Amino acid sequence: MVVPHRLTLAPLLFVLLTFVLFVACDGSSPPADGGTDAALADAGPPPPPPPSVRAATPLIEHVDPFLGTGGSGYNDLGNTYPGPTRPYGMVRPGPDTQNEGGAPGFTHCAGYAFTDDFINGFSHARMHGTGTPGYGNLGVMPVPAMEPAFTDQSGHMTRRSDEVASAGYYAVTLERGGIRAELTSTDRVAVHRYTFAEGSSQAILFDLGHRLSSDNHSVDGAIDVDVASGEITGFASTAGGYSSRFGGQPLWFVARASRPFVSHGVWEQDVLHADRSAATGGRSGAWITFDPSGGREVVLEVAISYVSVEGARANLAAESRAFDFDAVRRESEEVWERWLGRIVIEARYEHDIRRFYTALYHALLMPTLATDVDGRYRGLDKEVHEADGWLYYTDFSLWDTYRTLHPLLTLVYPEVQLDFLRSLTAMAAAGGAMPRWPHGIGYTGGMLGDPAAMVIADSWRKGLTDFDLRTAYDAMRAGAFGDASPAFRGRGHAEVYDRLGYVPYETGGWSTSKTLEFAYADWALAFLADALGEAADAARFRERAGNWRNTWDPARQFFVGRHEDGRFVEHFYDDSWQEEYSEGNAWQYLWLVPHDLVGLAEHMGGRGVMLERLRYFFEQSLTERRTFLPPRWYWHGNEPDIHAPYVFTALGEGAEGARWARWVAQSWYGDGPRGLPGNDDAGTLSAWLVFTTMGLYSLTGEDSYLIGGALSTRTEIQIGDGVFVIEAPDASDAQPALREARIDGEVLSDYRLPHARVRAGATLRLDTME
């Protein structure tokens, strides 16, 4: 849908309302109240659920790009953006915003915050839903005329109104000059359309010093205005939270306008130079002006490349539509309709349809295409390579996405996931180690563990084998056994982990979390070693997959930090953050043994004990009031425990798992700018909702899916040339629990659907109960 942005509360009022909404337990179920229960009893039986309806076409009408663009705390700040792009596109043009005081990095990781008053430019690259700002290269801004103050974005920012967004399209009216700005894109070319006020002078500026937030800065740049060809070319290099670790991320560009410009100039270090054609440095830029008698409208095409200006020029030549903005928009909408149409659902509630397709849209935004039309790309070794017959991507937030996004892509978009596997393998070959969080053209050392192992094992087990597993495995093996490049690139702590069977407290932060993640990765690597016939490696990895036991404190009954001499740490609080845990606490990490939940249950004292502790965990979550800060109990806004509802299912309690999964979907997800329960983390939270709506969930690395209580009453997944159907005809808020699951009539008593049974023509039937 084309979603209007209704501007804007004053900042102080917004902060006050945000606080009130948080204190009012925004998005969560209210605590139990006997009076409320009595009132409900007096009201009689609930009304029957509404009838199920099929998602109307076009499916893009259900997408709300503003969902997740607002919020200010750990439980509602999505860091999404409303600008247009193609699925996993290279170029992501969009508005960057700020208030008078600037753009704090925490709330502007994608450059945009819904409640900001000002737009300071339209940049061309960004990430989706991450907790660190990256890119923001090349700001473009239409203005009536160039002024000295406009050399910085705080000088040329302007208020906005009449803002709308849909899949493949964005538009806004800029207060200065009354300019209507519209954006659409191809894979590698951003298309701007600026409609100036009648009789107004007309100018467009190109800002190489543009930044997404206070946590970004420009490293270097160069720009050239070629009057003869009408081209504006150059490069802009920016550094953010992660890209600063490898010296900054360069982007090359070529821009052309639909009308000839009549004058131009550049600036360097805030000094204007009219009629000059070239400028260099991170605080430089250029402007062009147009004759108003030529019309009110200017269309600007901006092609980008991560290789060179020549690459950007070739991208423009291949993808330009001769300044036909509406044709590019229509084409983008058709592309999005095809991609979203891989899954068609029916549901009882319109909000479930809207949230589902917005989540699917968000799951298709990142990683980032980094291949030019000629197949060339710049690798993690900073050198130029060529992808022959496939596409190279970058920006893998693997510690997050391994849990939900990649299993979803393997199921629904396997051809894309295959290119992602090839990209990771190419990164390992070029850079010398399998990355954890590659961004742009560099290693970042972000987060922890060895998440690529789970991604690759999951895909291989489900039939995606057309890539160089040997190269990928050798890189991961080297990291696991300590033969790789420094920990900044690889897993890290390999020697001490192999010697002790855990990562000790003395190594620094997150030691307990690292042990759990390493054990999971070793389990995945054992499978890959078997696939390659490496029996000795497989046995060694399989043994190390049980290393989670070595950080289990039998006295406290939690995973606890452990010293190198074997002692457990003395300080311990089970419901607060401590340095042994990465972005979580002992309760939230209690379930992070997805590869051996049966073994975990035995370690806790049996299946019954583990189920009771899991129930207690969720029951405490029901009554916890959400604030700006991370919760103490279930936290869906971060990754370590997002599989926890499905632990019930894995232990044979399908009805209970379905109830809690629906509770998460209903109480943690919503609509509008605050509709996500935290950073979407490159589509991780969105992919969770897509899976749960369909009634499935994947514990990454297994060759089956756990079955939950679907939010949709019917789901049709395109598999090859046919359709796999999931039917849940009675599913509703009144009947959230799973009673029985059948695949083509066969009862699935363990609530697991083998991946091999997901094929065209098959039907999964889910029967529910109160």
Side-chain angles (χ1 to χ4, degrees):
M1 65 182 118
V2 176
V3 183
H5 174 175
R6 297 176 181 173
L7 294 170
T8 270
L9 294 172
L12 183 59
L13 179 58
F14 168 70
V15 170
L16 177 61
L17 287 175
T18 300
F19 175 78
V20 171
L21 288 169
F22 274 135
V23 171
C25 199
D26 173 49
S28 66
S29 300
D33 186 314
T36 302
D37 290 343
L40 289 173
D42 292 341
S52 179
V53 297
R54 190 175 181 86
T57 55
L59 299 176
I60 58 173
E61 290 293 324
H62 304 294
V63 174
D64 178 5
F66 286 116
L67 193 151
T69 60
S72 59
Y74 284 94
N75 298 304
D76 70 345
L77 177 61
N79 268 316
T80 68
Y81 64 95
T85 188
R86 297 279 178 91
Y88 304 117
M90 176 185 292
V91 70
R92 295 185 183 127
D96 298 327
T97 63
Q98 68 175 82
N99 281 321
E100 291 280 7
F106 181 71
T107 54
H108 292 77
C109 294
Y112 179 93
F114 185 83
T115 54
D116 284 348
D117 292 324
F118 299 94
I119 284 180
N120 58 41
F122 301 100
S123 62
H124 291 78
R126 68 201 73 237
M127 295 189 286
H128 163 71
T130 61
T132 183
Y135 297 111
N137 310 60
L138 184 61
V140 171
M141 191 70 165
V143 294
M146 187 61 191
E147 299 178 16
F150 290 174
T151 58
D152 184 80
Q153 61 198 57
S154 60
H156 61 244
M157 68 182 185
T158 184
R159 293 184 183 273
R160 56 189 170 138
S161 62
D162 302 322
E163 191 175 28
V164 297
S166 59
Y169 177 74
Y170 171 85
V172 66
T173 296
L174 306 178
E175 182 181 84
R176 182 191 297 108
I179 302 166
R180 187 64 173 170
E182 300 171 274
L183 300 173
T184 189
S185 72
T186 67
D187 286 324
R188 302 168 180 86
V189 180
V191 185
H192 305 236
R193 180 163 66 187
Y194 300 134
T195 304
F196 293 85
E198 187 70 43
S200 169
S201 54
Q202 304 169 359
I204 299 174
L205 61 86
F206 302 82
D207 182 8
L208 303 189
H210 184 86
R211 54 204 176 274
L212 292 182
S213 74
S214 59
D215 290 349
N216 294 74
H217 66 277
S218 177
V219 176
D220 197 4
I223 193 164
D224 182 79
V225 182
D226 189 325
V227 177
S229 66
E231 284 188 347
I232 299 91
T233 61
F235 82 96
S237 183
T238 63
Y242 273 174
S243 54
S244 61
R245 298 180 182 182
F246 54 84
Q249 174 62 45
L251 176 151
W252 288 264
F253 62 89
V254 172
R256 296 173 186 162
S258 59
R259 291 165 44 201
F261 48 88
V262 296
S263 67
H264 67 279
V266 299
W267 72 83
E268 289 180 339
Q269 299 292 322
D270 302 328
V271 178
L272 301 184
H273 303 281
D275 297 324
R276 255 181 57 179
S277 297
T280 59
R283 291 174 57 192
S284 62
W287 74 91
I288 55 177
T289 67
F290 302 89
D291 183 350
S293 67
R296 296 175 55 197
E297 186 177 292
V298 176
V299 176
L300 182 72
E301 295 180 333
V302 182
I304 68 169
S305 167
Y306 295 117
V307 174
S308 64
V309 166
E310 292 73 19
R313 186 175 288 116
N315 292 342
L316 182 58
E319 297 185 2
S320 171
R321 298 298 178 265
F323 304 108
D324 190 338
F325 182 95
D326 294 322
V328 176
R329 178 184 177 183
R330 286 193 301 271
E331 185 180 285
S332 286
E333 291 173 343
E334 291 167 359
V335 169
W336 276 113
E337 190 70 13
R338 288 196 301 272
W339 282 66
L340 297 175
R342 293 277 185 103
I343 311 177
V344 178
I345 69 167
E346 298 178 13
R348 298 187 188 279
Y349 311 102
E350 195 278 332
H351 64 259
D352 284 334
I353 294 175
R354 181 173 60 251
R355 293 172 191 173
F356 175 84
Y357 282 106
T358 301
L360 186 56
Y361 170 82
H362 280 153
L364 299 174
L365 295 181
M366 189 175 149
T368 304
L369 176 66
T371 320
D372 287 343
V373 293
D374 61 3
R376 297 199 306 161
Y377 66 89
R378 193 174 295 274
L380 297 191
D381 57 356
K382 313 298 188 296
E383 300 298 324
V384 176
H385 304 265
E386 185 170 347
D388 184 8
W390 57 284
L391 295 173
Y392 176 87
Y393 294 82
T394 188
D395 299 334
F396 288 85
S397 182
L398 290 170
W399 184 76
D400 311 294
T401 57
Y402 87 76
R403 304 165 202 265
T404 60
L405 178 65
H406 292 286
L408 177 66
L409 300 180
T410 296
L411 175 64
V412 185
Y413 305 93
E415 74 285 4
V416 179
Q417 176 65 8
L418 191 55
D419 273 354
F420 291 169
L421 299 171
R422 292 164 175 160
S423 299
L424 291 171
T425 302
M427 289 176 178
M434 184 62 73
R436 294 195 301 268
W437 216 124
H439 168 40
I441 61 170
Y443 286 92
T444 69
M447 299 312 297
L448 67 151
D450 199 358
M454 285 80 94
V455 170
I456 293 171
D458 186 84
S459 298
W460 189 275
R461 293 193 75 173
K462 293 171 181 173
L464 297 187
T465 59
D466 189 15
F467 68 100
D468 186 357
L469 178 61
R470 169 54 68 182
T471 294
Y473 173 80
D474 286 350
M476 291 184 290
R477 182 190 187 281
F481 292 154
D483 302 324
S485 51
F488 183 74
R489 296 190 174 192
R491 180 190 288 200
H493 311 302
E495 185 277 329
V496 69
Y497 171 76
D498 193 55
R499 174 166 49 86
L500 297 177
Y502 61 92
V503 178
Y505 178 80
E506 286 78 8
T507 60
W510 302 351
S511 60
T512 302
S513 299
K514 288 175 181 177
T515 298
L516 297 175
E517 293 280 358
F518 288 1
Y520 192 6
D522 286 340
W523 172 79
L525 287 169
F527 170 79
L528 296 177
D530 277 334
L532 290 170
E534 299 284 358
D537 279 3
R540 188 175 175 188
F541 280 126
R542 197 166 289 114
E543 180 182 2
R544 297 194 340 168
N547 280 349
W548 57 269
R549 294 178 174 87
N550 298 329
T551 192
W552 178 262
D553 183 348
R556 293 167 172 144
Q557 290 290 295
F558 283 100
F559 296 112
V560 176
R562 195 170 184 182
H563 291 290
E564 192 162 357
D565 64 8
R567 293 176 299 113
F568 289 102
V569 297
E570 294 182 4
H571 64 275
F572 178 72
Y573 303 94
D574 60 21
D575 62 354
S576 65
W577 282 25
Q578 296 173 263
E579 60 182 308
E580 303 97 291
Y581 308 103
S582 172
E583 300 179 4
N585 62 34
W587 273 104
Q588 291 156 356
Y589 270 93
L590 184 55
W591 326 105
L592 192 58
V593 191
H595 62 290
D596 191 8
L597 291 171
V598 172
L600 178 60
E602 292 174 355
H603 229 57
M604 283 192 190
R607 175 178 173 275
V609 174
M610 183 169 172
L611 286 170
E612 282 304 308
R613 296 191 75 180
L614 189 59
R615 291 183 187 111
Y616 177 79
F617 178 65
F618 276 102
E619 287 161 2
Q620 294 301 305
S621 304
L622 276 178
T623 58
E624 183 177 17
R625 295 191 179 277
R626 296 181 199 156
T627 69
F628 176 91
L629 298 174
R632 295 181 301 163
W633 302 99
Y634 181 79
W635 183 17
H636 196 71
N638 205 25
E639 280 65 35
D641 67 349
I642 63 172
H643 66 293
Y646 292 96
V647 173
F648 285 109
T649 310
L651 295 178
E653 298 296 329
E656 206 162 358
R659 284 195 185 99
W660 284 114
R662 181 176 281 261
W663 170 76
V664 172
Q666 290 177 328
S667 68
W668 284 90
Y669 292 86
D671 295 307
R674 299 175 65 220
L676 281 172
N679 290 332
D680 199 19
D681 286 328
T684 300
L685 300 187
S686 290
W688 188 99
L689 185 61
V690 171
F691 263 131
T692 294
T693 299
M694 297 190 297
L696 301 175
Y697 193 77
S698 177
L699 293 179
T700 308
E702 294 194 351
D703 59 357
S704 62
Y705 301 93
L706 295 171
I707 299 171
L711 278 66
S712 57
T713 55
R714 180 180 174 89
T715 299
E716 299 172 3
I717 306 173
Q718 182 180 327
I719 304 291
D721 294 329
V723 172
F724 174 76
V725 176
I726 303 172
E727 295 178 341
D730 299 323
S732 70
D733 291 346
Q735 292 191 199
L738 180 65
R739 177 171 59 83
E740 186 177 72
R742 293 175 178 265
I743 180 70
D744 293 333
E746 177 187 338
V747 175
L748 299 172
S749 58
D750 60 355
Y751 304 107
R752 291 178 183 268
L753 172 67
H755 178 76
R757 301 294 296 271
V758 181
R759 54 179 181 260
T763 298
L764 175 67
R765 166 92 180 196
L766 308 180
D767 291 317
T768 59
M769 60 183 179
E770 295 182 6

